[in-house]
Amino acid sequence: MSAKSSPLPAIEVDVDRASAVAAPTDAVFAAWVAAGLAALGLAHVSLAVRLVDEAEAVVLNRDYRGKDYAPNVLSFPLADDFPAPPDEPRPLGDIVLCLPVVQAEALAYGMSFDQRLAHLLIHGVLHLAGHNHDQQSPRLAMEALETRVMAELGLPHPYQQS
């Protein structure tokens, strides 16, 4: 009897829930990540998403960026040559989302929690892929890509407040 091989997963998303704030299902996070990766032409990759409260976000931001506040999103990319077995997806890195901050921003910006969360997750995915917003030209390109992915997901423009 021969074993039938199954196709390799195109994308693996590990969601780690360490926040008291209710969030969408893992399948929803995977769909948002998949849309961001598709816009970049990336497949056969993996990443981790950690959902945290303010205390953990402050510690991470202080330890890794030297800033003493809870940010909405942090991205920790892995090097392109990070070793991975040939049959497994290449790890891109980790994204940390501070759900209470995302909730407060959604309210302040007149957006739904899911809209703001999707935008920040896509923003984090783009950072893992090497995009940045330190200067105007890369920032505009990154914002255009975020806007396109949000539209493809049927979500409103991420930079227009209601």
Side-chain angles (χ1 to χ4, degrees):
M1 182 175 202
S2 65
K4 191 175 187 180
S5 66
S6 58
L8 297 172
I11 297 167
E12 286 184 9
V13 180
D14 178 33
V15 180
D16 183 22
R17 295 169 187 272
S19 173
V21 175
T25 66
D26 291 4
V28 170
F29 279 98
W32 291 341
V33 167
L37 293 172
L40 298 167
L42 292 175
H44 200 60
V45 297
S46 67
L47 61 93
V49 177
R50 184 162 170 86
L51 309 175
V52 303
D53 289 326
E54 286 109 328
E56 185 173 341
V58 167
V59 169
L60 290 168
N61 203 26
R62 187 181 315 128
D63 289 354
Y64 292 97
R65 296 179 64 227
K67 300 184 187 242
D68 197 26
Y69 65 91
N72 51 21
V73 62
L74 291 164
S75 298
F76 300 97
L78 292 175
D80 285 341
D81 61 353
F82 188 84
D87 293 346
E88 293 185 19
R90 180 177 66 85
L92 288 180
D94 302 330
I95 297 170
V96 176
L97 293 160
C98 183
L99 297 187
V101 171
V102 175
Q103 243 179 357
E105 289 176 350
L107 184 62
Y109 299 157
M111 300 176 172
S112 74
F113 175 64
D114 284 7
Q115 177 190 353
R116 184 69 180 148
L117 192 58
H119 174 222
L120 292 170
L121 182 60
I122 292 162
H123 183 88
V125 167
L126 297 181
H127 275 304
L128 293 184
H131 288 262
N132 70 67
H133 46 76
D134 295 339
Q135 297 176 345
Q136 184 175 0
S137 180
R139 178 181 55 79
L140 293 174
M142 189 170 177
E143 288 176 4
L145 194 49
E146 291 167 347
T147 300
R148 186 179 99 214
V149 172
M150 294 287 286
E152 289 170 1
L153 287 167
L155 295 168
H157 193 291
Y159 293 103
Q160 291 178 347
Q161 299 175 11
S162 57

